[in-house]
Amino acid sequence: MAKVTDQLLRAAATAAQGDRTGALAISSRLRSRHRDTAAALLTDSAALVDRIDRKFDSLDEILRGLAAISNSPRASLT
């Protein structure tokens, strides 16, 4: 899974710049990549795909929150 860490950092930086849509797009591509890999490696990948989805749902919540914070009036005071 080359470059996953780089993409996670990019998603966080994108969200921190207030670009929620861009950050979630990066997350979506990573989610698809992980789901595809699980399906390719396992004959019964449903449980793993469910776990992947839960983890990426959590990541998406964090990215949304980070983007919201960066767009708040208080964020511009620092």
Side-chain angles (χ1 to χ4, degrees):
M1 302 298 287
K3 304 291 182 183
V4 169
T5 302
D6 292 342
Q7 292 301 305
L8 289 170
L9 292 171
R10 191 167 142 231
T14 301
Q17 293 172 354
D19 183 1
R20 184 182 100 166
T21 303
L24 293 175
I26 295 167
S27 177
S28 178
R29 288 190 298 271
L30 282 171
R31 180 191 300 246
S32 293
R33 185 173 170 199
H34 280 76
R35 293 180 92 205
D36 292 347
T37 300
L41 294 175
L42 302 170
T43 55
D44 184 14
S45 63
L48 181 56
V49 167
D50 183 55
R51 186 172 178 153
I52 289 168
D53 283 340
R54 286 193 313 260
K55 295 295 183 183
F56 275 96
D57 288 346
S58 295
L59 174 62
D60 290 350
E61 284 185 44
I62 292 167
L63 293 173
R64 283 186 197 99
L66 184 56
I69 289 169
S70 70
N71 285 324
S72 73
R74 285 188 102 163
S76 62
L77 297 176
T78 57

